[in-house]
Amino acid sequence: MSSEQAPAATLSKYTKRVALKTILGGSSDGGVGLTGHRVVIGGWIKSSSEIRKQPVTPQPAAAPQVVSPKDVTCSAVLQSRIPLLKSIMKVLVDSALATPCQVMPTGTCLLIEGILQQPSVQGKHVEVASAMRIHNALTWATHGFFQDQGFLHVQVPIITSTDSEGFSEKFLVTTLLSKGKKDDQISSTEDAGDLKKTNELVSQLETRQKAKSGVAVETRKLDLSKDLFAHQTYLTVSGRLHLESQACALGNVYCFGHRFQAEKSESKKSLAETWMVDVEMAFSELEDAMDCANDFLKFVCKRMVEGCMEDLQFVLKQIDKAVMERLQSTISSSFERISYAEAIEVLRQVAGKRFHSKIEFGVSLTEEHQSYLVDEIYKKPVIIYNDPKGLEPFYVRVNDDGKTVATFNVVLPKLKPNLFAGRTVIRGSQSEERFNVLNSRMNELGLQKQQHEWYLDLRRHGSAKTSGFSLMLEPLVLYATGLNDVKDVIPFPRSFRRANS
Amino acid sequence: MSSEQAPAATLSKYTKRVALKTILGGSSDGGVGLTGHRVVIGGWIKSSSEIRKQPVTPQPAAAPQVVSPKDVTCSAVLQSRIPLLKSIMKVLVDSALATPCQVMPTGTCLLIEGILQQPSVQGKHVEVASAMRIHNALTWATHGFFQDQGFLHVQVPIITSTDSEGFSEKFLVTTLLSKGKKDDQISSTEDAGDLKKTNELVSQLETRQKAKSGVAVETRKLDLSKDLFAHQTYLTVSGRLHLESQACALGNVYCFGHRFQAEKSESKKSLAETWMVDVEMAFSELEDAMDCANDFLKFVCKRMVEGCMEDLQFVLKQIDKAVMERLQSTISSSFERISYAEAIEVLRQVAGKRFHSKIEFGVSLTEEHQSYLVDEIYKKPVIIYNDPKGLEPFYVRVNDDGKTVATFNVVLPKLKPNLFAGRTVIRGSQSEERFNVLNSRMNELGLQKQQHEWYLDLRRHGSAKTSGFSLMLEPLVLYATGLNDVKDVIPFPRSFRRANS
């Protein structure tokens, strides 16, 4: 924004603009003094609507400069979070330069020069950036918490040959298929015909082999020894194992990054690419990890309430009336801690309520079960610990009962009525530090030892107890914004097409 | 560490230990007062060596508790950065419990109980964690700089169908090859024989097709429409394009994450997986991005000097005597800014120096050229801007001369004599905001429009000028640690086997 005879304006660092915020923050009248001044305003149409035919009463100072046969409200372009400005600013587009229909499409970039005048009608403001600012604040608060507590931020690899969970589908990473093999290489009809013939042949052979052996045989199998890493590599599902190795060298560590799951799901919350905070602490047991997760969640919620008030006010008005209450209660309530076995017992004793799925030891608690515990019984965040062994990955510590393992899940209260998505924001565990127990657990699960040798090495000459957890960032952003869909808080969500489209 | 009748010790939060630092930081004598007290010390052998046969003179208070037929220095396990402690602590292992050879392997985890005594000889301390702490500090300082300046931290996707650079080999991401197709599926000799036959057949067809068409045809081509995203996807090479889209919605943004390159190289500095900070600013031109890069580098160097003094002292003693001088000069010097054309002229006029490669407009400056400019001529960081159009990706802004584009590289002074690795830590540019120019540039380079439609959309209704840059984190860590090899600053480096191994 530039101005003539207007209050002093300072260019934002590194850009050719004056942020509205700096002008308004520096003036006691919230920008009212700018009325009548000539300004240039730049930005994008984020949403727009024609103003209903109400007569415009031009201000004497502004009238000669602005011709406006058909008004378009451009308040949405201002990117401003200052409510007063929104109510006093109304920029009129001169239709001799651009007709309203030209500036209507979302994404249109505008530079508008004109005289500021007080609006006769008030446009509705849509603030698309609040969710992203809350996202940023959560990230920054996360770093703040762990740095304050003396944790070191470290890196874990994205490309890995280690299958840390053993449950989920993974993305294969390869260079064998992308080197100079462009789609346009098979150009002639003849070549295409030959390729078709080859593929048919391969397909016939596959069918024959399947009939013989009873299993699907992949004849198109790639020779992975020729791949860049000379063996099969995946996108990482979790950073915990790599992090544990670093905890053994550095003490308490955390990392922040992308994690991947190649599951196809009809559920709209399923994403291939998510953000996680992984945490690992040396000389630490399950209870320590639960304490840390508890403090961490309270800390970031507190930071939200302290530092994102404007955005939370917007959320409160436009999206979710319960947002402040939810954050405040997370800060002030003491999280309930119950074991999985206790949870099963508590749910079994609920009278007059029929759950969709059976409550039985050894079976995962569903979101319905969790919701009942959190929203109906305890009415605050609940940490459910010591899950059945069969539900958890190989590296979690087996408890003395032989049936459960040292894990925990932090389940948050409901976002909105009937919304179950993303309740579990943290999953944690204590690692199995006993070499022999870990070894026999891997045998039990039939895991390939070769890819886990480096992890077993951590215990070969004894080891400290370690524990940690993973925070799923997107569900936490939903919790702080009241939005329903994780895709609303990720600018480029990597979700899957539905199976048949 | 637990103690009896010793100075008060507080457990570290979330762990079952007392950090040495907290004991020593709280005592004025730096821990000398602990001499004679019984303590338990835990940690890992990071490096070890038998003490040369020098007579040990036991302190009266300690002697009865410690039997030590053969001494092993365990100072390396202490993870302490407090020099005085290292000189007074010498923990003697009772060989009745563990012989020295049992505790020698690196990675051995120890819990040692004994009486602290003053050492008669001083072990050499190896501090493996300094590089990781400096790494952490650089990350934290990076966030600090951008958050202070009002930038928002955002996410860019790792899995992408956009080829932002167009130059480098990429990793393909697929689920077609990993779903339930385990290596052990082809078990019988008969099946293996059939597979071999199929592969031979496919190979024959490929050879025939190649002979016919003159190009290698990939008959094993995967049907990507059946892949999870229904089209070809890669690991991202750069986040700049996705970031620009967010800058147009949010103003100034940055992100921090993994970037990937599938180049095979004999050079030891080549990594498949690196960390980058990408930055993008709306309403901003090349000079603004250069200003920002300049301030950012000075800021993080300043934070290093202020906050990592202990680790830098270690670097100074053990790795690189010039580290402080280098950081201080980066903080205080004004970076030289010259255009690529000027650089060519300056290098051409160097008398009595023969460069290995020719200096010619249109050809990349080699590390030798850059080094000569930075170390011999200007003796400070140099920003070289406006590279020839032919060397840069499609999205950079074409300058008025039609021959150069709005790019810049920040080249830092040498680390050590004769070491050229990782001199360029930042690459930046202003984006081509003019739809028509961008469009014809894409035609010129023969780029597929389809995958870039979303990027072109940003300009379809006009656009603001945007500029930004990418910082390569690992070279910056080398710069601050004096280490030679990027693999030394990444816990799990993803480097390639050599071509023939």
Side-chain angles (χ1 to χ4, degrees):
Chain A
M1 184 190 280
S2 69
S3 57
E4 282 167 24
Q5 300 173 314
T10 321
L11 277 177
S12 290
K13 248 181 162 175
Y14 316 125
T15 63
K16 300 275 176 283
R17 64 170 179 161
V18 181
L20 288 171
K21 208 177 161 183
T22 61
I23 294 180
L24 302 165
S27 69
S28 56
D29 62 358
V32 175
L34 288 170
T35 310
H37 286 282
R38 171 170 289 275
V39 295
V40 177
I41 296 179
W44 291 262
I45 298 286
K46 294 184 177 180
S47 73
S48 59
S49 59
E50 291 186 36
I51 292 175
R52 266 151 278 124
K53 298 281 175 195
Q54 284 179 305
V56 176
T57 321
Q59 301 288 310
Q65 307 292 334
V66 183
V67 186
S68 96
K70 197 177 185 186
D71 291 343
V72 173
T73 172
C74 291
S75 68
V77 307
L78 298 179
Q79 292 191 308
S80 160
R81 282 170 292 158
I82 297 93
L84 187 52
L85 186 81
K86 277 177 271 173
S87 70
I88 64 152
M89 272 198 170
K90 179 154 158 293
V91 182
L92 304 174
V93 179
D94 182 350
S95 70
L97 296 171
T99 62
C101 65
Q102 276 181 290
V103 297
M104 293 298 277
T106 300
T108 302
C109 190
L110 297 176
L111 274 184
I112 304 168
E113 189 171 354
I115 304 287
L116 273 184
Q117 58 176 97
Q118 230 154 341
S120 54
V121 290
Q122 197 169 330
K124 199 179 174 186
H125 183 77
V126 179
E127 181 54 276
V128 295
S130 279
M132 290 301 116
R133 279 193 292 266
I134 288 172
H135 199 298
N136 169 69
L138 281 169
T139 304
W140 181 228
T142 298
H143 282 291
F145 176 80
F146 290 111
Q147 293 287 333
D148 283 358
Q149 298 291 342
F151 286 63
L152 290 183
H153 180 271
V154 296
Q155 293 175 15
V156 296
I158 293 285
I159 302 174
T160 178
S161 60
T162 306
D163 183 2
S164 52
E165 300 298 338
F167 296 140
S168 44
E169 288 291 338
K170 297 177 296 298
F171 286 105
L172 186 88
V173 176
T174 180
T175 54
L176 291 179
L177 298 160
S178 53
K179 275 181 293 184
K181 286 153 195 158
K182 288 192 184 150
D183 281 336
D184 56 0
Q185 276 187 344
I186 296 175
S187 46
S188 80
T189 327
E190 202 184 354
D191 286 341
D194 255 22
L195 177 67
K196 200 181 157 202
K197 237 186 284 172
T198 314
N199 278 335
E200 272 167 18
L201 200 52
V202 168
S203 173
Q204 282 167 20
L205 281 162
E206 279 180 356
T207 313
R208 268 183 27 219
Q209 281 183 319
K210 189 178 172 180
K212 267 209 294 208
S213 63
V215 289
V217 173
E218 181 52 80
T219 55
R220 289 182 190 80
K221 200 181 273 287
L222 298 172
D223 183 359
L224 291 166
S225 68
K226 288 185 188 154
D227 212 345
L228 213 50
F229 298 108
H231 55 79
Q232 199 146 358
T233 51
Y234 308 97
L235 294 184
T236 188
V237 175
S238 160
R240 290 279 311 278
L241 301 192
H242 292 97
L243 211 56
E244 189 184 317
S245 158
Q246 297 184 64
C248 291
L250 302 167
N252 294 356
V253 291
Y254 74 108
C255 66
F256 211 121
H258 281 93
R259 305 290 174 259
F260 304 87
Q261 283 203 316
E263 309 289 355
K264 267 186 203 178
S265 163
E266 291 299 307
S267 157
K268 68 174 179 173
K269 61 189 162 124
S270 169
L271 283 174
E273 200 176 286
T274 56
W275 265 64
M276 267 192 214
V277 181
D278 290 321
V279 180
E280 199 74 32
M281 305 177 285
F283 297 98
S284 153
E285 299 176 21
L286 189 69
E287 213 176 291
D288 301 308
M290 290 197 274
D291 290 346
C292 184
N294 177 96
D295 291 358
F296 166 60
L297 276 179
K298 283 170 184 279
F299 179 90
V300 294
C301 288
K302 199 154 172 274
R303 278 282 176 97
M304 289 306 98
V305 171
E306 289 167 0
C308 292
M309 199 37 98
E310 276 175 33
D311 289 311
L312 288 175
Q313 289 292 351
F314 171 77
V315 166
L316 200 136
K317 269 188 212 158
Q318 302 283 333
I319 307 171
D320 182 6
K321 284 190 185 102
V323 65
M324 291 304 292
E325 192 192 329
R326 197 163 62 230
L327 292 175
Q328 288 291 6
S329 105
T330 311
I331 297 167
S332 59
S333 64
S334 66
F335 292 14
E336 189 69 34
R337 293 189 191 185
I338 52 163
S339 71
Y340 167 89
E342 285 164 354
I344 291 287
E345 270 319 296
V346 166
L347 288 170
R348 268 198 186 139
Q349 281 158 26
V350 173
K353 163 84 186 166
R354 282 195 62 180
F355 294 104
H356 287 94
S357 57
K358 216 176 153 185
I359 301 157
E360 196 178 356
F361 189 95
V363 179
S364 283
L365 293 178
T366 64
E367 283 179 347
E368 190 192 15
H369 298 146
Q370 292 179 345
S371 165
Y372 199 85
L373 287 168
V374 172
D375 301 322
E376 304 300 327
I377 300 179
Y378 299 107
K379 298 187 192 337
K380 57 182 177 177
V382 175
I383 302 181
I384 305 168
Y385 61 92
N386 287 353
D387 281 307
K389 196 168 101 172
L391 302 175
E392 298 296 326
F394 74 96
Y395 63 84
V396 295
R397 194 176 199 276
V398 179
N399 290 328
D400 291 344
D401 61 14
K403 292 189 297 181
T404 63
V405 285
T407 57
F408 72 97
N409 294 297
V410 183
V411 188
L412 293 179
K414 67 182 159 196
L415 279 172
K416 292 179 180 178
N418 304 322
L419 187 75
F420 293 103
R423 311 291 296 270
T424 303
V425 291
I426 286 181
R427 295 183 197 280
S429 61
Q430 180 178 341
S431 296
E432 182 56 78
E433 86 281 8
R434 297 161 294 184
F435 184 86
N436 291 339
V437 180
L438 184 66
N439 208 33
S440 57
R441 184 113 163 84
M442 289 175 77
N443 289 336
E444 221 172 279
L445 294 167
L447 291 182
Q448 284 187 352
K449 287 276 168 62
Q450 207 187 338
Q451 59 165 294
H452 296 102
E453 281 300 327
W454 68 271
Y455 185 68
L456 284 164
D457 279 349
L458 291 176
R459 289 148 181 78
R460 251 179 248 287
H461 308 293
S463 185
K465 292 177 177 176
T466 62
S467 72
F469 59 86
S470 300
L471 166 89
M472 284 140 273
L473 190 67
E474 286 88 5
L476 191 62
V477 180
L478 294 186
Y479 190 71
T481 57
L483 290 166
N484 288 331
D485 191 339
V486 281
K487 286 177 206 152
D488 290 336
V489 297
I490 301 178
F492 295 91
R494 293 307 182 225
S495 54
F496 314 124
R497 54 174 189 161
R498 283 168 180 274
N500 299 321
S501 64
Chain B
M1 184 192 280
S2 69
S3 57
E4 284 167 25
Q5 299 173 313
T10 322
L11 276 178
S12 289
K13 247 179 161 174
Y14 315 125
T15 64
K16 300 276 178 280
R17 63 170 179 158
V18 182
L20 288 172
K21 209 178 160 182
T22 61
I23 295 180
L24 301 166
S27 68
S28 56
D29 62 358
V32 177
L34 288 170
T35 310
H37 286 284
R38 173 169 288 274
V39 294
V40 177
I41 296 179
W44 291 264
I45 299 286
K46 293 183 177 178
S47 75
S48 59
S49 59
E50 290 187 35
I51 291 176
R52 268 152 277 123
K53 296 283 176 193
Q54 283 178 307
V56 176
T57 320
Q59 301 289 310
Q65 306 292 333
V66 181
V67 187
S68 98
K70 199 176 182 187
D71 293 342
V72 174
T73 171
C74 290
S75 68
V77 306
L78 299 178
Q79 291 192 308
S80 159
R81 284 170 291 157
I82 297 93
L84 186 54
L85 185 81
K86 277 178 270 172
S87 69
I88 64 151
M89 272 200 172
K90 179 158 158 288
V91 182
L92 304 173
V93 178
D94 182 350
S95 69
L97 297 172
T99 61
C101 65
Q102 277 181 289
V103 296
M104 293 297 277
T106 300
T108 302
C109 191
L110 296 177
L111 275 184
I112 304 167
E113 189 171 354
I115 304 288
L116 273 183
Q117 58 176 102
Q118 226 153 345
S120 54
V121 290
Q122 196 169 334
K124 200 177 173 186
H125 182 76
V126 180
E127 181 55 278
V128 294
S130 278
M132 289 301 115
R133 280 194 292 266
I134 288 173
H135 199 297
N136 170 68
L138 280 170
T139 304
W140 182 228
T142 298
H143 282 290
F145 175 81
F146 290 111
Q147 293 286 334
D148 284 357
Q149 298 292 340
F151 286 63
L152 290 184
H153 180 271
V154 296
Q155 293 176 15
V156 294
I158 293 284
I159 302 173
T160 178
S161 60
T162 306
D163 184 1
S164 51
E165 301 298 336
F167 297 140
S168 44
E169 288 292 339
K170 297 179 295 299
F171 285 104
L172 185 90
V173 176
T174 180
T175 53
L176 291 179
L177 297 160
S178 53
K179 276 181 294 186
K181 287 151 196 159
K182 288 194 185 149
D183 281 335
D184 56 359
Q185 277 186 344
I186 296 175
S187 45
S188 80
T189 327
E190 203 182 357
D191 286 342
D194 254 22
L195 177 66
K196 201 181 157 201
K197 238 183 285 172
T198 315
N199 278 335
E200 272 167 20
L201 201 51
V202 168
S203 173
Q204 281 166 20
L205 280 161
E206 277 179 357
T207 314
R208 265 179 33 219
Q209 282 183 319
K210 190 178 174 181
K212 268 206 294 206
S213 63
V215 290
V217 173
E218 181 52 83
T219 54
R220 287 182 190 82
K221 203 181 270 289
L222 298 172
D223 183 359
L224 291 166
S225 68
K226 288 184 187 153
D227 212 345
L228 212 51
F229 298 108
H231 55 78
Q232 199 146 358
T233 51
Y234 307 97
L235 294 184
T236 188
V237 175
S238 161
R240 290 282 308 279
L241 300 193
H242 292 96
L243 210 56
E244 189 184 318
S245 158
Q246 298 185 63
C248 291
L250 303 167
N252 295 355
V253 291
Y254 75 107
C255 66
F256 211 121
H258 282 93
R259 305 291 174 259
F260 303 87
Q261 282 203 318
E263 309 289 355
K264 268 187 202 177
S265 161
E266 292 298 307
S267 155
K268 69 174 179 173
K269 61 192 162 126
S270 169
L271 283 173
E273 199 177 286
T274 57
W275 266 64
M276 267 193 214
V277 182
D278 289 321
V279 181
E280 200 73 33
M281 305 177 287
F283 297 98
S284 154
E285 299 176 22
L286 189 69
E287 214 174 291
D288 301 308
M290 290 197 273
D291 290 345
C292 185
N294 177 96
D295 291 358
F296 166 59
L297 275 179
K298 282 169 184 281
F299 180 90
V300 293
C301 288
K302 198 153 173 276
R303 278 280 176 96
M304 289 305 99
V305 171
E306 289 167 359
C308 291
M309 198 38 96
E310 277 175 34
D311 289 311
L312 289 175
Q313 289 292 352
F314 171 77
V315 166
L316 200 137
K317 271 190 209 157
Q318 303 282 334
I319 307 171
D320 182 5
K321 286 190 182 100
V323 66
M324 292 303 292
E325 193 192 327
R326 196 163 60 231
L327 292 174
Q328 288 291 5
S329 106
T330 310
I331 298 166
S332 59
S333 65
S334 67
F335 292 14
E336 189 70 33
R337 292 188 192 186
I338 53 163
S339 72
Y340 167 87
E342 285 164 354
I344 291 287
E345 271 317 297
V346 166
L347 287 170
R348 267 195 187 141
Q349 281 160 25
V350 173
K353 163 84 184 166
R354 285 195 61 179
F355 295 103
H356 286 94
S357 57
K358 217 177 150 184
I359 301 156
E360 197 177 356
F361 189 93
V363 178
S364 282
L365 293 178
T366 64
E367 283 181 346
E368 190 192 14
H369 299 146
Q370 292 179 345
S371 165
Y372 199 86
L373 287 167
V374 173
D375 301 322
E376 303 300 326
I377 299 178
Y378 298 107
K379 298 187 187 352
K380 60 181 176 177
V382 176
I383 302 181
I384 305 168
Y385 61 92
N386 287 355
D387 281 308
K389 196 168 101 172
L391 302 175
E392 298 296 327
F394 73 96
Y395 63 84
V396 295
R397 193 176 200 275
V398 179
N399 290 327
D400 292 344
D401 61 14
K403 291 189 297 180
T404 63
V405 285
T407 58
F408 72 96
N409 294 296
V410 183
V411 189
L412 294 178
K414 67 182 160 196
L415 279 172
K416 292 179 179 178
N418 305 322
L419 186 76
F420 293 103
R423 311 291 297 269
T424 303
V425 291
I426 287 181
R427 295 182 197 280
S429 61
Q430 181 179 340
S431 296
E432 182 57 78
E433 86 281 8
R434 296 160 296 185
F435 184 85
N436 291 340
V437 181
L438 184 67
N439 208 33
S440 57
R441 184 112 163 86
M442 289 175 76
N443 289 336
E444 222 174 278
L445 293 167
L447 291 181
Q448 285 188 351
K449 286 276 169 62
Q450 207 188 335
Q451 57 165 295
H452 295 104
E453 281 300 326
W454 68 269
Y455 185 69
L456 284 164
D457 278 349
L458 291 177
R459 288 147 181 78
R460 253 180 247 285
H461 308 293
S463 185
K465 291 177 176 174
T466 61
S467 71
F469 59 86
S470 300
L471 167 88
M472 285 141 274
L473 191 67
E474 287 86 4
L476 191 62
V477 179
L478 294 186
Y479 190 70
T481 56
L483 290 165
N484 289 331
D485 191 338
V486 281
K487 287 175 207 152
D488 290 336
V489 297
I490 301 177
F492 296 91
R494 293 308 182 222
S495 54
F496 314 127
R497 56 172 188 162
R498 285 170 177 273
N500 299 319
S501 64

